[in-house]
Amino acid sequence: MKTAEIAQRFLDHFEKNDHVIVPSASLVSSDPSIMFTIAGMVPFIPYLSGLVPAPYQRAADVQKCIRTLDIEEVGHTARHGTFFQMMGNWSFGDYFKEGAIGYAWDLLTGAESDGGLGFDEKDLWVTVYQDDDEAARLWKQIAGLPDERIQRMGKEDNYWSTGQPGPAGPCSEIYFDRGPAYGRDGGPAVDDNRFTEIWNLVFMQYAITNVRSKTDFDIVGELPQKNIDTGMGLERVAFIKQGVENMYEIDQVRPVLDRAVDLSGRRYGAAHEDDVRFRVIADHVRSSLMLLADGVTPSNEGRGYILRRLMRRSVRAMRLLGVDGATFPELFAASRDAMKAAYPVVETDWTRISQYAFAEEETFLRTLASGSTILDLAIDQTKQTGSSAISGPEAFLLHDTYGFPIDLTLEVAQEAGLSVDRAAFDALMLQQRTRAKADAKSRKRALADQSVYRQFRAHGETVFTGYSDLQTESTVLGLLVEGVPVDRASAGQVAEVILAETALYAESGGQVADHGMIVGPGFELDVLDVQRPVPGLVSHTVEVTQGEVATGQPATSVVDAANRRQATAAHSATHLVHAALRDTLGGTATQAGSLNRAGYLRFDFSWGQALSAATRTEIEEIANNAVHDNLQVTTRVLPLAEAKELGAMALFGEKYGDTVRMVDIGGPWSRELCGGTHVAGSAEIGLISLVSESSVGASNRRVEALVGPDAFRELAAERAIVAQLTSTLKTPRDQLPARIAELAAQLKAAEKKIAAFRSKALEGRLPALMAAAAAAGALRVVAESLGAAASADDVRHLALQVRDRLGPDAAVVALGADVNGRPVVVVAANEAARAAGAKAGALAKAAAAALGGGGGGRDDVAQGGGTDVAALPAALAAVRTALEAA
């Protein structure tokens, strides 16, 4: 019985019994907490949990599923598959245990001629939850099963929940006895290899809470609506009905295995290791086909990474079978033909699916060619040194330089009897991610040696269409990865893309590069930077986020419109600020550099002194008046000489050809040579707020400003602060500066008085400290805590006073204090103490160690500190201990 026929019989059976037939949901789960649909019940969770009313009372489906937790078991057992299909029937508050058991038994044991599956009743066993007397009774009543074929199991096996508070209930599993050749008699409780589970009936009837583990939770009562959730593994039923050994040999999978056998020239069944590889290939190719059909594409993250891993494991398994060339055109075609009866999309969408599959294999074969050699050498060297683990840096080199996946490195190492220093590898990966984030943030990446651009520049200049268009169709002229020309770049890689035309602005004239994307058939590229590595040529640094891009492909550059609009406003605002500066300061205030990006501008100019507050206000007012007047912005392309005659200002550091682009704002008032993008009228800028003016050299100044919404937000924040101050200080806004200055002066005077008071108070403690001197061997020692002190200098001054008043006999003074929340210890030793071996620096270090900090200094006076004020007594005790031990 074909697999597709089994599925159809299942659906027909339940449709006859008034179930709505629901199509399979995508393998890509709509639940954000999981990547894939990992079980048949996933699409029904909202109904089972009661979050969403079910649109039907009873339903049936055949659901596509992907599980990757057991990926290492694939090929080793009869049951583990990455892609599988789960047949299920569902009741939402309709029938319960009796109905579920009756429908299942009728389908399983019904004659094939009547649409049933034709299982012999004597081959079927069931398990029930140990306390579920009702289910046991119903199995006897409906199926006539004897007690010995109804086995009771505990929560570990026969109680279902999501693992979270919510619906739960006992379940009953149906097993098929494969016969004595497969193990011991005695039912599933004895041997679950001989007795293979084919169907699980979940009786969802309780609400649970305080879930501590799979078997430890609190039942809080019965659900208001009892549900039925069943799952029958299609592949398991198929390998039993088809009389084959495992799921890899059923009609939907075996053709791939057979094609791998043909390509390798090895026989299936001759060697265990080869058999495992054949089964891995059969499973992974089918799984990859189905993932591609549901829109997943190979990448280095998330679902795409799982797909890439499956495909690359298949490639490597074929290599271990002796096949070095491309095999996906044969293997995927075989899987397509085996699956198209059940899933026609694999045939109708074959062009797209095959494009991704074949390109991924081609890319990985190149990776293997370089990476395998390096890994083999690493394995040999590791063994020669007697080590049992490949180093983290070696594994990282394979991953980072050669694209060799860490999972594959782990597998190859394990086969060679070695491990991998995964902790060191992960640390290097973390460092790389940190660097990558910094690169992305700055949007700066090193461009390749300019000579590699020659072949691309030979096609002519890159046409920039972004003055009028935010989206332009073009063609990929070239690709660079790590500065080397390549034919294609895959998801996860950073590359440079050369297009014939682009709407994306390349950084120049102070304006930063556009944000945006480049998209094409089956690929998406996130634009990280746009530069002109050689005159006339635009290079886009991108991260391939989806699919694979190749030379010669059509590609559309798409500008981030919001970012461009704000960057354009900032660039036009820079011209206004420049003109306002010249109006205010005169023609000698010439431009020395600029930067403008969305919401922000920075302008450097030649000037030898700081701008007064009044001058800054005047410049800001002139620029904003120009915004208010909505000056017309015009651009002209004309000869350089003519532009200079018209008085156009040239941008700092910019090189110009014979023909230039001149931008006028308000006619000659602002006239500059500029290749940047600009607003059509100055009112589009919105607002300019100068936020700082500073020195950037002996004769250069810098002004910075916020533009548009960013300027408004800044001013709104300042207004809120002023309002708060006027309310708190009960002072009118125009009197705030004087009031704050008055308060600052009062505070400063008060601080001086407090400091003087503390110093005097410390000096008043001099007699008590003198009296506290105690003997420590031949030394007299004072080791006391002062409490709070104004400064460390006060503590030092007092320590020296005490030392000097103790006279010529050997004496050491150690005083501790809390100085603004930080512990300080000062140690002073007189000449006689130093001669006896007491060194203030060493003693200060001992005290600082107790404070969790450091210290040191000269032999006569030294200081230590730390972070723990409460440890001051321990620090002083450490000084005494050190002296007593000397």
Side-chain angles (χ1 to χ4, degrees):
M1 190 180 293
K2 298 292 186 183
T3 305
E5 182 185 349
I6 296 170
Q8 193 58 53
R9 284 173 179 256
F10 177 89
L11 295 175
D12 290 345
H13 172 72
F14 283 100
E15 187 173 31
K16 285 189 300 184
N17 287 285
D18 303 320
H19 287 66
V20 174
I21 304 305
V22 180
S24 173
S26 172
L27 287 170
V28 177
S29 174
S30 59
D31 184 341
S33 66
I34 52 177
M35 287 194 294
F36 297 117
T37 301
I38 57 174
M41 54 84 65
V42 169
F44 297 98
I45 288 176
Y47 310 146
L48 295 171
S49 64
L51 292 176
V52 178
Y56 26 68
Q57 284 191 302
R58 50 176 69 184
D61 70 335
V62 178
Q63 175 61 49
K64 300 176 292 185
C65 303
I66 285 280
R67 287 184 189 170
T68 58
L69 291 178
D70 296 328
I71 194 170
E72 306 299 339
E73 297 299 322
V74 170
H76 293 275
T77 73
R79 301 188 301 274
H80 286 99
T82 311
F83 171 84
F84 61 96
Q85 299 155 90
M86 189 62 70
M87 300 179 287
N89 59 289
W90 313 83
S91 168
F92 307 102
D94 189 10
Y95 62 84
F96 198 49
K97 292 181 184 179
E98 183 174 359
I101 291 172
Y103 290 137
W105 191 254
D106 287 348
L107 176 61
L108 287 173
T109 61
E112 291 185 11
S113 58
D114 294 332
L117 294 178
F119 280 96
D120 193 324
E121 294 183 11
K122 68 177 178 58
D123 294 329
L124 300 176
W125 292 59
V126 301
T127 61
V128 297
Y129 178 54
Q130 59 191 10
D131 297 332
D132 194 351
D133 296 335
E134 181 186 7
R137 176 180 57 79
L138 288 169
W139 276 114
K140 291 180 186 180
Q141 176 184 316
I142 295 170
L145 288 176
D147 288 338
E148 61 268 20
R149 299 224 317 269
I150 304 173
Q151 297 188 323
R152 295 181 182 250
M153 310 283 271
K155 285 182 179 178
E156 182 70 29
D157 298 295
N158 278 73
Y159 208 98
W160 178 92
S161 77
T162 63
Q164 300 293 329
C171 61
S172 180
E173 297 176 332
I174 306 171
Y175 289 79
F176 174 78
D177 181 2
R178 302 179 73 193
Y182 293 92
R184 296 178 296 163
D185 197 359
V190 174
D191 190 335
D192 65 355
N193 183 49
R194 169 175 169 170
F195 297 88
T196 298
E197 178 199 339
I198 56 175
W199 207 338
N200 186 19
L201 314 179
V202 177
F203 310 131
M204 204 174 296
Q205 65 187 103
Y206 297 114
I208 64 172
T209 188
N210 297 328
V211 180
R212 294 169 289 276
S213 70
K214 181 180 178 181
T215 60
D216 186 13
F217 47 79
D218 297 333
I219 297 176
V220 294
E222 291 204 350
L223 295 171
Q225 173 181 290
K226 297 178 181 179
N227 300 321
I228 289 295
D229 158 12
T230 85
M232 177 160 63
L234 178 54
E235 284 77 9
R236 293 191 183 187
V237 176
F239 83 69
I240 292 170
K241 293 301 293 179
Q242 293 173 19
V244 295
E245 292 297 307
N246 50 60
M247 63 167 289
Y248 313 106
E249 298 176 16
I250 65 174
D251 62 299
Q252 286 188 346
V253 187
R254 181 66 187 247
V256 182
L257 189 152
D258 289 340
R259 195 70 196 102
V261 167
D262 294 340
L263 292 170
S264 68
R266 302 190 187 187
R267 185 170 64 86
Y268 182 60
H272 173 71
E273 287 186 353
D274 284 352
D275 288 353
V276 170
R277 290 165 185 152
F278 283 128
R279 293 194 286 263
V280 166
I281 293 163
D283 171 87
H284 286 6
V285 166
R286 184 174 77 137
S287 301
S288 300
L289 174 76
M290 298 308 297
L291 284 169
L292 286 163
D294 271 7
V296 182
T297 55
S299 71
N300 285 336
E301 293 183 350
R303 299 180 183 95
Y305 174 73
I306 298 297
L307 172 59
R308 171 162 283 169
R309 185 181 179 197
L310 292 171
M311 297 171 80
R312 292 187 168 190
R313 279 171 58 90
S314 303
V315 172
R316 183 166 177 273
M318 286 301 299
R319 282 175 64 89
L320 292 173
L321 290 167
V323 183
D324 293 333
T327 60
F328 278 8
E330 299 278 352
L331 298 175
F332 270 78
S335 189
R336 174 201 62 198
D337 294 343
M339 296 298 294
K340 64 184 180 183
Y343 301 98
V345 67
V346 300
E347 183 172 44
T348 58
D349 205 13
W350 175 246
T351 300
R352 183 189 64 84
I353 293 170
S354 60
Q355 177 184 357
Y356 281 113
F358 302 167
E360 180 67 17
E361 181 182 37
E362 181 181 340
T363 300
F364 190 52
L365 285 173
R366 291 197 299 267
T367 296
L368 281 174
S370 55
S372 293
T373 302
I374 303 298
L375 181 53
D376 289 343
L377 287 172
I379 289 172
D380 289 342
Q381 291 172 357
T382 301
K383 289 183 174 180
Q384 288 174 10
T385 61
S387 176
S388 61
I390 294 172
S391 72
E394 286 176 313
F396 181 76
L397 175 70
L398 283 162
H399 166 84
D400 191 50
T401 304
Y402 299 97
F404 210 76
I406 183 60
D407 302 299
L408 196 52
T409 300
L410 291 167
E411 287 184 18
V412 176
Q414 185 178 22
E415 290 173 0
L418 299 174
S419 61
V420 176
D421 187 346
R422 187 62 189 266
F425 172 84
D426 290 340
L428 290 168
M429 283 295 295
L430 180 60
Q431 292 175 17
Q432 184 194 58
R433 291 190 191 101
T434 302
R435 288 193 300 269
K437 287 180 180 178
D439 286 343
K441 185 176 180 180
S442 66
R443 299 294 185 183
K444 293 287 181 285
R445 292 179 184 273
L447 294 172
D449 178 12
Q450 290 189 344
S451 63
V452 303
Y453 299 105
R454 189 177 298 117
Q455 58 179 306
F456 309 128
R457 185 63 179 81
H459 293 284
E461 291 192 5
T462 305
V463 178
F464 176 62
T465 64
Y467 292 131
S468 57
D469 300 319
L470 296 180
Q471 185 168 314
T472 295
E473 296 180 359
S474 186
T475 304
V476 178
L477 296 180
L479 291 166
L480 297 170
V481 173
E482 301 284 341
V484 178
V486 296
D487 294 326
R488 62 192 67 241
S490 301
Q493 287 188 293
V494 173
E496 287 182 61
V497 178
I498 312 297
L499 301 177
E501 301 90 11
T502 183
L504 292 154
Y505 184 80
E507 181 178 4
S508 62
Q511 183 174 336
V512 300
D514 271 335
H515 296 178
M517 300 181 67
I518 298 174
V519 298
F523 67 83
E524 291 185 2
L525 316 176
D526 182 19
V527 176
L528 306 177
D529 197 9
V530 190
Q531 295 289 331
R532 296 181 183 271
V534 294
L537 188 74
V538 174
S539 169
H540 310 78
T541 300
V542 303
E543 181 179 8
V544 186
T545 57
Q546 183 173 315
E548 183 177 66
V549 58
T551 55
Q553 284 186 303
T556 301
S557 54
V558 182
V559 177
D560 181 330
N563 182 77
R564 163 70 79 81
R565 184 167 55 249
Q566 293 182 53
T568 292
H571 198 160
S572 297
T574 304
H575 285 219
L576 298 188
V577 169
H578 188 190
L581 276 163
R582 291 173 64 80
D583 269 4
T584 305
L585 303 177
T588 58
T590 56
Q591 180 181 356
S594 68
L595 173 70
N596 34 80
R597 61 172 183 262
Y600 169 85
L601 72 85
R602 185 185 76 207
F603 190 86
D604 297 345
F605 58 99
S606 301
W607 197 250
Q609 60 188 28
L611 303 183
S612 66
T615 301
R616 285 178 53 180
T617 299
E618 184 180 359
I619 293 167
E620 190 177 59
E621 185 175 354
I622 291 172
N624 279 295
N625 283 340
V627 172
H628 178 268
D629 292 339
N630 195 21
L631 303 177
Q632 184 180 8
V633 180
T634 60
T635 60
R636 284 184 283 171
V637 177
L638 68 170
L640 176 61
E642 183 180 346
K644 287 183 175 180
E645 281 184 56
L646 292 171
M649 297 288 298
L651 289 176
F652 175 80
E654 191 77 5
K655 295 180 181 179
Y656 298 95
D658 294 334
T659 302
V660 294
R661 182 172 182 263
M662 186 174 72
V663 177
D664 285 358
I665 303 180
W669 179 69
S670 171
R671 177 170 288 169
E672 299 188 21
L673 302 183
C674 181
T677 61
H678 288 277
V679 298
S682 61
E684 295 177 33
I685 294 170
L687 180 67
I688 302 171
S689 174
L690 293 185
V691 294
S692 74
E693 187 270 338
S694 58
S695 171
V696 287
S699 58
N700 285 329
R701 306 295 298 179
R702 169 175 293 171
V703 290
E704 294 176 273
L706 297 176
V707 180
D710 292 77
F712 174 78
R713 284 189 286 269
E714 174 72 9
L715 293 174
E718 290 186 358
R719 182 177 61 188
I721 293 171
V722 170
Q724 185 178 0
L725 287 172
T726 58
S727 174
T728 302
L729 299 178
K730 295 180 173 53
T731 304
R733 185 176 64 177
D734 58 345
Q735 296 178 23
L736 274 178
R739 177 62 175 146
I740 292 173
E742 179 186 352
L743 289 174
Q746 291 175 358
L747 178 62
K748 188 173 183 180
E751 288 175 343
K752 285 184 177 180
K753 287 182 180 179
I754 292 170
F757 174 78
R758 285 181 173 173
S759 295
K760 189 172 182 180
L762 284 178
E763 289 183 4
R765 298 187 61 178
L766 188 59
L769 292 172
M770 296 284 296
L779 299 172
R780 294 180 70 195
V781 177
V782 176
E784 296 292 323
S785 177
L786 303 176
S791 68
D793 284 342
D794 285 345
V795 179
R796 175 185 287 257
H797 178 67
L798 185 59
L800 292 174
Q801 280 190 306
V802 174
R803 182 195 66 179
D804 292 344
R805 293 197 181 189
L806 286 175
D809 293 338
V812 173
V813 178
L815 300 182
D818 175 351
V819 178
N820 299 319
R822 305 280 292 187
V824 170
V825 172
V826 174
V827 181
N830 64 14
E831 184 177 351
R834 297 195 297 274
K839 310 295 185 184
L843 295 171
K845 284 184 180 179
L851 296 173
R858 303 194 310 268
D859 288 349
D860 62 331
V861 62
Q863 182 175 315
T867 58
D868 187 2
V869 173
L872 277 171
L876 295 170
V879 173
R880 293 191 194 95
T881 300
L883 290 171
E884 290 170 354

